Amino acid sequence: ISLDVSAVLCEGFDSPRARMSCGHVVTPMSLTKWCQQLLKQGKSRFVCGQSGCNAEWPYQEVCKMALLTPEERKNFETTMALNAAVGDPNTKFCPGCMTPVTRGSSSNLFVCCQVCSAKTGRSFGFCWQCLREWKGRQPRSDLCENDDCHNSALKTLRECPEVKIKTVNGVKGCPSVRACPTCGSLIQHTGIGCKNISCPRCKMSFCFGCLKTISECRTTGTHNVYGVCSIDIVPRQTSIPVWQR
C-alpha cells in the first residue's frame, strides 16, 4: 500500500491507497468510480485516467485493487461483455480470466485463451457460444458438449412473441425481435410506434416488417404508403447477419 499523495484519482477519498501496474496510485473507491465511468461510456477495457498515461489495467488487477464485491464483479462483467459486443462482435471475454479474446474463425466455436493457457500450463479453450470452458471435440461450428449450449441470439429470434405490423393487406403478425440486417444486433419492437427503426449500433434505418431499407420498403411493389409495409413480412430469421465494416 502506498501513501503517495501526489497520485491520480485519489483526491477526496480518505482510504488506503494502492499503486497500479502503471505506477499511479488510487484508492479502492476512486478506482471503482473511474471504472464505472468508463463502463458507462461504453468501454470494455480499463485505462488509467492520469493525463498522458494510456496504460491498460487488467481486469483481475482492477478487481484486486478496487476491492470489488461479488455483486460488483458480476455487474462489471455483464456490462463489459455488453460493451464489447456492441463495439466489436468478434471480441468476447474469456470466462476464466475475463481477458478480451478475438475469435479467429467464424466457423469454429472453440477459442483458445493465451492468458489462461500460460497460467495453467495447459491449453485452455472456451466456447464462443455458451462462454464456458470447452467440452468435447473441436473444431465445431454448431455447439460444444456443455449442457444446454446454444446460440442465445438465435433462440431469442426463434422464441420471441409476435407484434402486429401494418401491411397493405391489413395487419400481420411479426416477430417482436429482429437481428439488424446490417450488423446483426438484436432489436426489440414493442408494437407501439413506427415500424421504421434505426439500429442504435450501426445507425442503419430499416423496416421491422420486411427488413428492407426504409426507401426500399416504401417503393417496392405496387404501393407506396408511408407507415405501411408494402412488402410481405419476412419470417423469423434463422441466422445472424455479420457486419461487414
Side-chain angles (χ1 to χ4, degrees):
I1 299 297
S2 170
L3 297 178
D4 182 359
V5 297
S6 65
V8 69
L9 298 178
C10 54
E11 293 84 355
F13 296 100
D14 184 18
S15 64
R17 298 169 184 174
R19 187 178 299 278
M20 303 297 286
S21 55
C22 62
H24 291 116
V25 176
V26 298
T27 66
M29 185 180 296
S30 66
L31 177 59
T32 299
K33 288 182 176 295
W34 172 248
C35 291
Q36 288 174 336
Q37 182 178 334
L38 292 176
L39 292 175
K40 288 180 180 179
Q41 294 172 357
K43 309 295 185 183
S44 57
R45 304 185 184 193
F46 304 111
V47 179
C48 179
Q50 171 72 9
S51 177
C53 181
N54 295 317
E56 181 178 332
W57 298 323
Y59 174 67
Q60 295 299 336
E61 180 182 3
V62 170
C63 290
K64 177 181 178 181
M65 298 302 192
L67 305 178
L68 295 183
T69 65
E71 183 178 358
E72 287 174 330
R73 284 195 179 206
K74 182 178 180 180
N75 291 334
F76 267 49
E77 291 168 10
T78 299
T79 307
M80 288 164 63
L82 290 173
N83 291 349
V86 171
D88 184 356
N90 293 317
T91 297
K92 291 188 178 182
F93 287 91
C94 169
C97 64
M98 289 304 293
T99 297
V101 179
T102 301
R103 188 180 186 184
S105 171
S106 60
S107 62
N108 186 9
L109 292 174
F110 175 85
V111 183
C112 181
C113 174
Q114 300 298 332
V115 174
C116 284
S117 296
K119 280 185 177 180
T120 61
R122 64 179 179 86
S123 178
F124 178 88
F126 66 93
C127 177
W128 188 261
Q129 187 160 264
C130 68
L131 295 179
R132 287 175 284 180
E133 184 172 0
W134 184 268
K135 286 187 179 180
R137 63 178 180 84
Q138 58 93 10
R140 290 284 294 271
S141 61
D142 51 351
L143 47 79
C144 71
E145 293 184 9
N146 278 301
D147 293 339
D148 195 33
C149 177
H150 62 269
N151 187 313
S152 58
L154 288 178
K155 183 178 180 181
T156 297
L157 293 176
R158 184 173 62 250
E159 299 180 357
C160 68
E162 290 188 347
V163 293
K164 301 297 183 180
I165 296 290
K166 292 182 180 180
T167 70
V168 293
N169 296 316
V171 178
K172 293 184 179 179
C174 173
S176 60
V177 178
R178 294 291 206 181
C180 171
T182 298
C183 70
S185 295
L186 296 193
I187 303 172
Q188 184 175 20
H189 199 301
T190 62
I192 301 173
C194 185
K195 67 179 180 59
N196 298 327
I197 64 170
S198 177
C199 175
R201 180 184 177 200
C202 68
K203 311 306 179 184
M204 176 63 69
S205 296
F206 65 95
C207 170
F208 207 80
C210 64
L211 299 182
K212 300 288 186 181
T213 64
I214 294 176
S215 59
E216 288 178 307
C217 175
R218 292 178 184 173
T219 59
T220 302
T222 59
H223 295 80
N224 182 1
V225 184
Y226 180 79
V228 176
C229 189
S230 60
I231 312 174
D232 287 338
I233 290 179
V234 171
R236 293 177 183 271
Q237 295 158 286
T238 57
S239 61
I240 306 293
V242 177
W243 194 1
Q244 304 296 335
R245 289 190 283 186

